[in-house]
Amino acid sequence: GAVVSQHPSWVICKSGTSVKIECRSLDFQATTMFWYRQFPKQSLMLMATSNEGSKATYEQGVEKDKFLINHASLTLSTLTVTSAHPEDSSFYICSARVLTGHQPQHFGDGTRLSIL
Amino acid sequence: GQQLNQSPQSMFIQEGEDVSMNCTSSSIFNTWLWYKQEPGEGPVLLIALYKAGELTSNGRLTAQFGITRKDSFLNISASIPSDVGIYFCAGRPNGNTPLVFGKGTRLSVIA
């Protein structure tokens, strides 16, 4: 079935560092990719939606300059957390789908980001 | 924004018992999806529903898209220890909108 690959799975870095997370759709072309954030014991919170070749649409309260999203191809989207601080520590999950027809949304395995 | 009410929040059941959980919405959805998430991993799609009244099975799992298009349920029959995890419902109001997630049902199975 459809597979979404996310890398890295785990990052620990110092405060002030910028961190890039990659999301790839391995066996389908994803016209739309989504980035979610999940805190412990909570549901997934949508951060932004990105469509290939266009600017991402950010949810209310998500800083676009803080969380840079690039969706340069139909199989790759990246999320860069710029100048990360401890409060940015979280579990980040990407998701991808094809917009045409009844296509479900598949998720990557997530990236656990820990900022010291 | 739109919200899904998912219940129950958590369940502790004996191995072999059947499980039922559901989601309701105040507005109409045209897609319902059920996912399972285990610790440290992303959600894994269990069942996708696209038509009101649709009843779909995946092994011991059965889910239905409510006739009113405002609810869905997931049943797990004869639970086993590996069913442990958090189950999320998710819905989409129309084809191009992002998924809305429920808050999840945490399932614990006692052997």
Side-chain angles (χ1 to χ4, degrees), chain A residues 14 34 43 64 66 71 79 90-91:
Chain A
K14 293 181 180 179
F34 306 88
S43 188
K64 59 182 67 176
K66 175 75 170 176
H71 192 163
L79 168 69
S90 189
F91 193 52

Side-chain angles (χ1 to χ4, degrees), chain A residues 54-104:
Chain A
S54 63
K55 290 183 179 180
T57 302
Y58 289 81
E59 295 298 302
Q60 192 173 8
V62 178
E63 298 176 56
K64 59 182 67 176
D65 294 330
K66 175 75 170 176
F67 300 99
L68 301 178
I69 292 173
N70 183 280
H71 192 163
S73 76
L74 285 171
T75 59
L76 174 64
S77 176
T78 60
L79 168 69
T80 301
V81 183
T82 61
S83 187
H85 292 286
E87 59 266 27
D88 298 322
S89 299
S90 189
F91 193 52
Y92 293 87
I93 312 173
C94 73
S95 180
R97 68 181 289 238
V98 178
L99 272 187
T100 56
H102 285 159
Q103 299 292 335

